[in-house]
Amino acid sequence: VKEMVDLLEKENPGCFDNPDNTFADLYMKSGMYITEIVSRLYRSQRMKELFPDDAERLNHIFAKQVYGCAPTEIIYRICLRYILGFSNTIHINKHNIKLCDTLVYAKEGTLEDKMKKVFNL
């Protein structure tokens, strides 16, 4: 996962420094990819300058920058626990981790419309 995210950053220099950039995993398994994305955004010096408070920075990241869909209830719960279970002191007010099996919509060619509904875009 770290190598995948390293490659993403290599191909898109500074991608973790922009508070308007968004990242998605539309068929989550463990939540590791989104967790690594959150980690890179959180550690970005530019993001620290824009959001010096750790809780504010994390809440921005979860509310506005990372999106994920888990295909089953059990995977959804595992992902939520893995992605959001990092702290007993920081409360995440809003996140975009959803229970949705995107495979059906991808096969039908309706994935974009479904994502707009799921994420209220």
Side-chain angles (χ1 to χ4, degrees), residues 5-24:
V5 179
D6 286 344
L7 184 58
L8 175 65
E9 190 168 21
K10 182 179 177 183
E11 293 177 356
N12 302 278
C15 64
F16 300 115
D17 299 327
N18 185 338
D20 297 323
N21 284 353
T22 57
F23 304 85

Side-chain angles (χ1 to χ4, degrees), residues 57-108:
R57 187 164 64 254
L58 282 167
N59 272 285
H60 171 82
I61 291 166
F62 281 109
K64 309 248 182 195
Q65 292 191 269
V66 294
Y67 298 81
C69 292
T72 67
E73 180 76 27
I74 189 72
I75 292 174
Y76 174 70
R77 290 181 183 274
I78 289 168
C79 288
L80 281 182
R81 181 72 178 150
Y82 186 73
I83 295 167
L84 299 174
F86 61 90
S87 173
N88 291 328
T89 58
I90 296 178
H91 177 72
I92 301 302
N93 298 315
K94 179 185 184 292
H95 65 80
N96 294 298
I97 308 303
K98 306 293 184 180
L99 172 60
C100 179
D101 187 347
T102 57
L103 184 59
V104 173
Y105 304 103
K107 286 180 179 178
E108 292 174 350

Side-chain angles (χ1 to χ4, degrees), residues 25-84:
D25 184 347
L26 299 182
Y27 205 82
M28 298 170 59
K29 294 294 173 97
S30 65
M32 290 178 68
Y33 178 73
I34 289 296
T35 300
E36 186 62 25
I37 296 290
V38 169
S39 179
R40 303 286 177 106
L41 290 164
Y42 179 77
R43 293 190 319 247
S44 158
Q45 192 57 45
R46 178 72 176 132
M47 291 291 286
K48 287 180 180 181
E49 291 168 5
L50 294 170
F51 304 95
D53 180 76
D54 293 348
E56 181 186 2
R57 187 164 64 254
L58 282 167
N59 272 285
H60 171 82
I61 291 166
F62 281 109
K64 309 248 182 195
Q65 292 191 269
V66 294
Y67 298 81
C69 292
T72 67
E73 180 76 27
I74 189 72
I75 292 174
Y76 174 70
R77 290 181 183 274
I78 289 168
C79 288
L80 281 182
R81 181 72 178 150
Y82 186 73
I83 295 167
L84 299 174

